[in-house]
Every structure is written in C-alpha cells, then in structure tokens.
Amino acid sequence: PEPTPSTEPTPAVAGTATANNPTTPTYLPVYTMPVSDPNGRTDLATNYVTAGNIIGDTFFAQAIVKDHRGAVQFSVTNLGTKTSQDWTYTITLPSGRNYTSPTQTPLKPNERALITVGFPTPDVSTHTFTVNIDESTDRTSLNDQFTRTVAFVK
C-alpha cells in the first residue's frame, strides 16, 4: 500500500469558525481606575469576612482554636463617589480591650481594604467582635459598624 501524506492540523484562531468550532468570541477584560468626583460623597462600609488562625505568619480561614493565635478578617469599602479622608477602625478583642488602628490611607470610590487582626485567644467558647470605622466626611453611618459572634473550638 502507498503511504498517505500526513498533514498538520491548522490551529484554530479565536473569532474564526472551523468545522468543529463555530465562531468563538474573544473577550478582553477592561480595567479602569476609580475616579473621585470632587462634588460626590464618601460612604465607607465595613463587613465581616471570616475568622481563623495565624500559623507562622500566614492566616488560615478556619475555626478559631482556643489558646492559639486567632484572627478576624473584615473589609472596608468606599461605596461612595468621592475619595475618603484618612480613617481608622476600632475592634473589640477577646481580651476585653478595644484596639484602635493607626490612621489608614484614603480609599477611592469602589476601592476595598481587607484587614486581618490577630490576637491571642483566651479560654472562652465565643466572642462578639464589634468593628467601627471612623471617617470625618462619611455621611452614611448605618454601615460603619458590624457585630459578629464567633465560636472558638478546643
């Protein structure tokens, strides 16, 4: 028998049709930097994200283990249309004291800060974390705080 010539398959190009692949759309992500409206408003909002443990220098989202280095994670997002001023947050810790952060840098519109606060865990079964954010030009105070009870495991 005579050998049949081999042919290399033609690679498919995105956006072109082939017998096995009808037209495939090509998507290009578009990124934009937030722009502050000088006549806009600032609206910082905070939300609970998760709790966990710090092992070494790494945060692991999991149940907080008693007598370990626990941590809570929360976010602060600028839901407004104007860049915020400097801001701070205060969190109640399992030790019973309140921790107030150093001054945080302003957040642009739609910009978010993810914050992880670590602490030694006392021998308790739960703790109610309360987080408050303070920014001088924020006029929507209803979303400036959250309270979340977190269980600790042995």
Side-chain angles (χ1 to χ4, degrees), residues 3-129:
T4 56
S6 70
T7 59
E8 291 289 320
T10 305
V13 176
T16 62
T18 65
N20 296 330
N21 181 19
T23 302
T24 304
T26 303
Y27 298 99
L28 297 173
V30 176
Y31 300 97
T32 59
M33 291 299 293
V35 177
S36 180
D37 176 358
N39 299 316
R41 63 178 176 76
T42 299
D43 181 13
L44 295 188
T46 184
N47 291 298
Y48 172 82
V49 175
T50 192
N53 295 287
I54 297 175
I55 301 171
D57 289 330
T58 305
F59 172 78
F60 293 92
Q62 56 189 216
I64 297 176
V65 179
K66 294 178 190 177
D67 299 323
H68 282 73
R69 291 176 56 204
V72 66
Q73 240 180 22
F74 60 95
S75 67
V76 178
T77 306
N78 186 351
L79 302 175
T81 58
K82 182 178 182 180
T83 300
S84 74
Q85 300 295 315
D86 290 345
W87 55 279
T88 60
Y89 63 85
T90 303
I91 183 170
T92 57
L93 298 174
S95 65
R97 74 179 193 104
N98 288 334
Y99 171 76
T100 300
S101 73
T103 301
Q104 305 295 303
T105 58
L107 293 175
K108 295 177 184 171
N110 205 33
E111 190 171 32
R112 178 178 87 133
L114 181 63
I115 299 168
T116 304
V117 177
F119 47 84
T121 56
D123 190 18
V124 297
S125 58
T126 64
H127 177 70
T128 301
F129 292 94

